[in-house]
Amino acid sequence: MTGEPAWVTAVLDALAALCLVLGAFLTLSAGVGVLRFENVLARMHAVTKPQVLGLILLLLAVAARVRSWPVVAMLALVVAFQLVTSPVAAHMVGRAAYRTGKIRPEDLDVDELPHGDDENENAGGPSA
Amino acid sequence: MDLVLVVAVVLAAVMLVAAATLAVVRVERGPSMLDRTVAFDVLTTTLVGAVALEAAWSRRTETIPILVVLSLVGFIGSVAISRFAARERPEEGTGRRRGDAAVEGAERNESERLDREAAVDTEHHGGSPDGEVR
């Protein structure tokens, strides 16, 4: 960009480099975790790291490189959408794992998804 | 171009490629459809990261709407597959006790596994005969 001192460019580029490496490392950790962890829930745990923090770091790097407010607004939109949608997906996958018996009952401290007798106390709970 | 940035971009690209490769290995191995779904989420995230990396490298902004779209629709696949994997049985919700769903699911899983093993035909490797999502 024109009109900014050289040290600003240098600092922002260094910030971008740092954020890129950290974000990509989180993505790599998710890849390792999804391959090596034992069951669906552990793998889901690994996946959430790059979905939120990794994405924010990578987009911070983009913002530090591009340095234009309209682009930053769009990147904020990306983060907002990701924050809204990834819990939905995680919820659905976790519930499907529970209902199809991929979770060992003895692993659970609290089982908050019983179906049956006490369903009425839990009105408004998961119905479908 | 600043040398630090070049090194960072190359390093990040290598890590993203490695992450995508590991995720593809998990997609191939399964064993259940939910594991594949979770691994595919990693693949989607890696794709977003790759597009962001390219945008940061070249300072182009045309690809950023792709990120918006991916973050909006990336979860639909997981939700759809989970919805089918969580197919409920007719008697669901009637006279069942705490933990029944998990226990029955485990039993069903076991019987399905036995079915699958019984269905292995040394001449045909087309997978199990029924079309249920596992």
Side-chain angles (χ1 to χ4, degrees), chain A residues 99-100, chain B residues 87 89 104-113:
Chain A
R99 288 192 176 168
T100 54
Chain B
R87 191 184 309 165
R89 305 199 304 177
E104 284 179 13
E107 284 169 2
R108 197 159 68 237
N109 252 22
E110 181 63 14
S111 77
E112 279 172 0
R113 192 182 61 79

Side-chain angles (χ1 to χ4, degrees), chain A residues 26-127:
Chain A
L26 281 175
T27 312
L28 176 64
S29 75
V32 173
V34 87
L35 186 62
R36 292 197 48 91
F37 282 169
E38 289 296 319
N39 54 44
V40 178
L41 286 194
R43 286 170 192 153
M44 282 174 63
H45 154 74
V47 168
T48 49
K49 268 72 208 166
Q51 271 183 342
V52 179
L53 183 57
L55 184 77
I56 290 173
L57 284 170
L58 287 171
L59 296 187
L60 205 60
V62 176
R65 282 282 290 164
V66 176
R67 310 206 256 287
S68 121
W69 286 113
V71 169
V72 172
M74 221 179 327
L75 297 177
L77 208 59
V78 173
V79 173
F81 286 146
Q82 188 74 29
L83 286 178
V84 169
T85 57
S86 67
V88 177
H91 170 78
M92 293 294 284
V93 172
R95 197 180 61 171
Y98 180 90
R99 288 192 176 168
T100 54
K102 307 234 163 32
I103 296 168
R104 293 184 306 163
E106 63 266 27
D107 281 350
L108 299 176
D109 279 339
V110 181
D111 187 356
E112 288 189 333
L113 271 180
H115 300 281
D117 297 338
D118 45 4
E119 187 97 341
N120 295 332
E121 303 165 17
N122 193 17
S127 59

